[in-house]
């Protein structure tokens, strides 16, 4: 596990239904964050790298994650400690236009445990990009959250959106497992 890093994606205030003023609350954010906290604690205890990613849209016209807003800040339940890298991104893919790959290379990381939000966007994008870049990936499915989506007049419940994307990732991109099973890997 010495070359494994924990990658926490977009655990930001605007995604938490319990956060007053949340602009884009997801289904299950608090439960996902609770599992994320368990993995975060284990990685810190083992002295393994932890990298936080947060999203800000470049314009104040965005529906959420407004530049320099409270909603765009990382939620205190998974707040970074001093020395833990925080990547600021402006795109869905956490590698695009950021120094994420450089940090992973500097830390000699070859494996990632990925969690966060949203399952169907940023988790999917970062996982596929990471695999394409040669990283071995594990996604903690119960430490990810998303929301209901609508397409062509049909509402797809968040749980179905989440499960469809986890099924697709596990089909050909990475290991998708529970927090408990991934904690067993960390020790």
């Amino acid at each position: 596990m010495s070359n494994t890093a924990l990658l926490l994606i977009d655990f930001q205030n605007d995604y938490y239904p319990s956060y007053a003023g949340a602009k884009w609350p997801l289904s299950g954010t608090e439960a996902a964050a609770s599992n994320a906290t368990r993995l975060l604690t284990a990685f810190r205890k083992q002295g393994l790298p932890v990298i936080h990613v947060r999203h800000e849209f470049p314009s104040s016209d965005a529906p959420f994650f407004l530049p320099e807003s409270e909603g765009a800040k990382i939620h205190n339940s998974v707040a970074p400690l001093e020395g833990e890298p925080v990547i600021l991104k402006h795109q869905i893919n956490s590698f695009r236009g950021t120094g994420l790959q450089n940090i992973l290379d500097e830390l000699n990381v070859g494996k990632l445990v990925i969690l966060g939000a949203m399952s169907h966007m940023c988790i999917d994008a970062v996982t596929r990009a990471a695999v394409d870049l040669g990283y071995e990936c594990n996604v903690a499915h119960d430490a990810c959250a998303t929301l209901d989506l609508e397409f062509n007049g049909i509402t797809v419940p968040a749980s179905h959106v989440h499960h469809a994307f986890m099924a697709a990732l596990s089909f050909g991109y990475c290991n998708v497992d529970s927090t408990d099973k991934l904690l067993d890997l960390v020790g």
Side-chain angles (χ1 to χ4, degrees):
M1 289 299 293
S2 63
N3 71 335
T4 304
L6 183 66
L7 194 56
L8 295 104
I9 307 292
D10 301 350
F11 276 111
Q12 294 167 252
N13 291 329
D14 274 343
Y15 279 164
Y16 282 72
S18 60
Y19 176 76
K23 294 188 178 298
W24 206 260
L26 304 182
S27 175
T29 308
E30 285 81 0
S34 177
N35 284 323
T37 300
R38 294 172 58 214
L39 283 160
L40 181 58
T41 300
F43 269 75
R44 287 173 174 164
K45 183 178 178 184
Q46 294 295 326
L48 296 170
V50 172
I51 301 163
H52 303 263
V53 177
R54 69 180 200 86
H55 193 154
E56 275 190 10
F57 287 100
S59 165
S60 58
D61 294 336
F64 57 99
F65 295 163
L66 301 176
E68 301 180 31
S69 69
E70 287 297 313
K73 289 183 179 176
I74 294 173
H75 192 269
N76 62 12
S77 64
V78 292
L81 295 178
E82 188 173 330
E84 291 177 349
V86 178
I87 303 292
L88 176 63
K89 65 175 181 151
H90 300 292
Q91 305 291 330
I92 294 166
N93 176 354
S94 297
F95 287 98
R96 187 173 171 196
T98 73
L100 178 57
Q101 187 173 7
N102 291 338
I103 289 171
L104 294 174
D105 289 347
E106 287 170 11
L107 295 170
N108 197 32
V109 168
K111 299 177 185 178
L112 296 170
V113 174
I114 300 168
L115 39 107
M118 292 186 284
S119 305
H120 71 285
M121 292 296 286
C122 299
I123 298 303
D124 183 63
V126 74
T127 303
R128 290 172 187 264
V131 170
D132 289 348
L133 291 169
Y135 298 97
E136 181 183 318
C137 295
N138 297 275
V139 173
H141 67 80
D142 55 358
C144 296
T146 194
L147 73 169
D148 294 353
L149 293 178
E150 186 274 330
F151 178 74
N152 208 18
I154 297 173
T155 299
V156 182
S159 65
H160 293 188
V161 172
H162 175 76
H163 284 90
F165 275 83
M166 295 300 113
L169 287 173
S170 70
F171 181 77
Y173 269 89
C174 67
N175 176 50
V176 176
D177 229 327
S178 68
T179 295
D180 287 340
K181 290 209 176 158
L182 292 173
L183 280 168
D184 288 342
L185 295 177
V186 178

